[in-house]
Amino acid sequence: MRMYDIIMKKRNGGELTDEEIRFFIEGYTKGEIPDYQVSSLMMAIFFQKMTAKETLTLTLAMADSGEKLDLSAIKGIKVDKHSTGGVGDKTSLALTPIVASLGVPVAKMSGRGLGHTGGTIDKLESFEGFSTSISNETFINNVNSIGIAIMGQTADLAPADKKLYALRDVTATVDNMSLIASSIMSKKLAAGADSIVLDVKTGSGAFMKSEEDSFALAREMVEIGRNAGRKMSAVISDMDQPLGNAVGNAIEVIEAIDTLKGKGPADFTELVYTLGAQMLINGEVAPDVPTARKMIADTVASGKALEKLAEFVKAQGGNEAAVYDTSLLKLAEHCIEVKAPESGYVSHIDCDEIGICSLILGGGRETKESVIDLSVGILLEKKVGDYADAGQTIAKIYANDLKKAEVAIDRFLKAYHFSNEEVKAPALIKGII
Ligand code: URA
């Protein structure tokens, strides 16, 4: 088999066979096929697209390219959750202790990632001493004893995707539906859960800006998962403005803890309930959505979900006292209030821009080597649909560097738009598959 023939076949609109897809994935992972040929194939796929069958084979080949987590030593149905990412997305921090406290084992691999804020792992490191560098054995033991463990994604999980994603990133071939779906699902399948609940974001702060594309991506990933024998659900949720009020790292942890105390922002709480219900149903601990939502409300009201977070933080070396006293989670030295430049209803927030403000403050990574400042961040006091008088505080910026704060505030103000007419807040949940 020759890579040249595979490229030409796809360039001319042909459907690649399983053997051809496995040949290029195996050859590329081993370093036998050069970047220039694979980037050419990626561009051909970008224009000619892939069929559902090709997409499934690509996903499975990438999942098979490295280590696969064996979770069979964990009792019960393992339900994983994945978000396509967005601004202020701290969902896993609240969701995982909730479902763990209700008997769904959480054995989750999370990443750091590049972006506006850190990934789940970075956020968890706001707890002093917390570590996700745990052995596979500790990981499994912790899930069996306390019902929850989160570890860092190992380098050997779907290495083909790692290489391919990095190549796509520099060859303008990321935003192809099949390539995104197979990239995400290859890692999820290799991570070993029996069921996967996807949170597919839509809007100005999401990967997929239109609802149509977001639904299509969700359907594609659900189909891949089902064909690979996993129980799947997907929630399509709004990312046209930041989720909740907090954007950053420690500040998002505080908001997640508040939510576990029943005092979280309404939109974030609703997303946690919606995803949680799907996880409880797929984990076969709840028969339907109303029962699942009642179980979530009860575990939050009883304090059991909060206790589960404390148990989890302690088991991975973190200071669990911060779960009960969030003043132990360090926030930046300066807190600057941002005032509304005019009176009116907030009509639109350029969501990505708020993420970039967090990045400017030092809360995210520009390169893999960047060191995150976990203490900086943004607390929104007004969101779409809220009314603000001119001069009223619309947000608080937590900064350690006043020069960076100045740049971030300038950008923040440009991202907020006001209207004299009343504005309806966007619906948070767009659909469930
Ligand atoms: N996230 C991934 O893991 N892969 C993609 O291709 C896009 C987003």
Side-chain angles (χ1 to χ4, degrees), residues 26-43:
E26 276 161 32
Y28 188 50
T29 311
K30 286 190 199 142
E32 291 165 4
I33 299 175
D35 278 349
Y36 55 81
Q37 283 191 307
V38 177
S39 57
S40 172
L41 179 63
M42 289 299 109
M43 194 56 87

Side-chain angles (χ1 to χ4, degrees), residues 82 84 161 165 168 174 176 179-184 187 207:
H82 179 80
T84 58
D161 171 66
Y165 192 12
R168 287 166 52 219
V174 167
N176 168 277
L179 292 177
I180 296 172
S182 57
S183 167
I184 293 174
K187 288 170 281 212
F207 221 34

Side-chain angles (χ1 to χ4, degrees), residues 293-342:
R293 290 181 71 101
K294 166 90 174 53
M295 287 166 75
I296 295 171
D298 290 347
T299 197
V300 169
S302 68
K304 287 199 180 112
L306 193 69
E307 271 168 38
K308 189 53 74 183
L309 176 66
E311 250 182 293
F312 159 58
V313 168
K314 185 174 176 204
Q316 294 195 208
N319 178 15
E320 84 273 21
V323 170
Y324 300 104
D325 176 6
T326 52
S327 69
L328 296 173
L329 293 164
K330 195 168 156 277
L331 289 183
E333 193 184 338
H334 307 285
C335 173
I336 305 144
E337 296 190 358
V338 184
K339 311 283 187 188
E342 58 185 295

Side-chain angles (χ1 to χ4, degrees), residues 206-396:
F207 221 34
M208 293 289 162
K209 310 287 180 207
S210 79
E211 275 189 39
E212 195 187 345
D213 284 350
S214 306
F215 271 90
L217 178 64
R219 271 188 229 104
E220 188 135 6
M221 290 196 284
V222 164
E223 190 177 332
I224 293 170
R226 287 185 183 150
N227 282 326
R230 312 296 165 97
K231 201 183 258 190
M232 298 293 300
S233 310
V235 171
I236 295 85
S237 69
D238 182 67
M239 192 38 79
D240 215 29
Q241 62 174 338
L243 178 63
N245 300 329
V247 180
N249 293 281
I251 201 165
E252 289 193 25
V253 175
I254 295 170
E255 187 163 273
I257 291 173
D258 286 344
T259 305
L260 290 175
K261 292 177 180 164
K263 295 183 290 189
D267 62 342
F268 179 55
T269 302
E270 177 54 30
L271 184 66
V272 168
Y273 271 60
T274 305
L275 291 165
Q278 294 301 314
M279 292 178 80
L280 296 182
I281 292 168
N282 289 7
E284 296 181 9
V285 302
D288 52 42
V289 170
T291 313
R293 290 181 71 101
K294 166 90 174 53
M295 287 166 75
I296 295 171
D298 290 347
T299 197
V300 169
S302 68
K304 287 199 180 112
L306 193 69
E307 271 168 38
K308 189 53 74 183
L309 176 66
E311 250 182 293
F312 159 58
V313 168
K314 185 174 176 204
Q316 294 195 208
N319 178 15
E320 84 273 21
V323 170
Y324 300 104
D325 176 6
T326 52
S327 69
L328 296 173
L329 293 164
K330 195 168 156 277
L331 289 183
E333 193 184 338
H334 307 285
C335 173
I336 305 144
E337 296 190 358
V338 184
K339 311 283 187 188
E342 58 185 295
S343 297
Y345 295 91
V346 178
S347 58
H348 179 70
I349 301 173
D350 300 327
C351 191
D352 262 342
E353 283 295 306
I354 305 300
I356 290 168
C357 292
S358 160
L359 189 68
I360 292 169
L361 293 168
R365 272 189 195 87
E366 259 169 292
T367 68
K368 272 190 276 187
E369 289 71 35
S370 312
V371 177
I372 289 189
D373 183 346
L374 296 172
S375 69
V376 300
I378 301 160
L379 196 63
L380 306 178
E381 297 208 347
K382 298 286 177 193
K383 293 187 57 179
V384 174
D386 292 340
Y387 184 83
D389 282 315
Q392 198 179 350
T393 301
I394 52 173
K396 288 180 179 149

Side-chain angles (χ1 to χ4, degrees), residues 12 74 194 244 299:
N12 294 342
I74 298 170
D194 307 302
T299 197

Side-chain angles (χ1 to χ4, degrees), residues 9 46 53 57 61-62 66 71 84 91 139 153 168 196 253 260 263 266 281 288 342 351 382 391 400 402 425 427-428:
K9 183 174 180 187
F46 184 87
K53 183 168 176 294
T57 307
M62 292 201 292
L71 303 182
T84 58
T91 311
F139 180 68
Q153 199 164 296
R168 287 166 52 219
I196 302 153
V253 175
L260 290 175
K263 295 183 290 189
I281 292 168
D288 52 42
E342 58 185 295
C351 191
K382 298 286 177 193
N400 285 317
L402 290 175
L428 179 76

